[in-house]
Amino acid sequence: MPMVYRSVATTGAAACVGPGLNTYSHVHIDDVTRLFTLALAGGRAGGLYHAVAGETPNRWIAERVAADLGVEARSLTPGEAAGVWGEFGALVMAASSRIRAVDSRRELGWHPERTHMLTMIGKARLRALSA
């Protein structure tokens, strides 16, 4: 989400790459903290516990940021994206990275409380990135 807000400062629009269907798993830091606490208290030695609250396509983020700031949402080509976010940032914004928190839920009873990242849209610290 911060990268989409930053794209407004560079392009004047809330940007995504291509059709914006790429998706990353996300989680709020408060839910991560609770998972760490549960893992330290009752996790198995060598256990691998993922923290995932949900997934949101980048296009949805760009559209909501655009609405928040009163700008357009815009699709960038990979080359344009590299100019906005750098080569690695463009790759991150164009790819999907999806995981599940099966062991965290099953073994530790962890369930995220903040499951929808779009509720962060409009936060002052994010809006500041668009200036």
Side-chain angles (χ1 to χ4, degrees), residues 54-125:
E55 299 175 333
T56 305
N58 281 349
R59 176 176 264 327
W60 294 5
I61 297 168
E63 290 170 348
R64 292 288 296 272
V65 168
D68 176 43
L69 298 176
V71 299
E72 292 183 66
R74 179 174 170 220
S75 174
L76 302 177
T77 67
E80 291 171 320
V84 173
W85 297 299
E87 292 291 329
F88 183 72
L91 176 64
V92 168
M93 291 297 286
S96 291
S97 179
R98 304 169 84 182
I99 57 176
R100 300 288 181 258
V102 176
D103 288 346
S104 300
R105 293 170 187 263
R106 183 180 52 222
E107 293 179 26
L108 303 175
W110 176 81
H111 295 283
E113 294 175 359
R114 298 181 185 202
T115 58
H116 208 292
M117 78 179 297
L118 295 178
T119 60
M120 300 295 292
I121 298 290
K123 298 285 184 186
R125 66 180 175 79

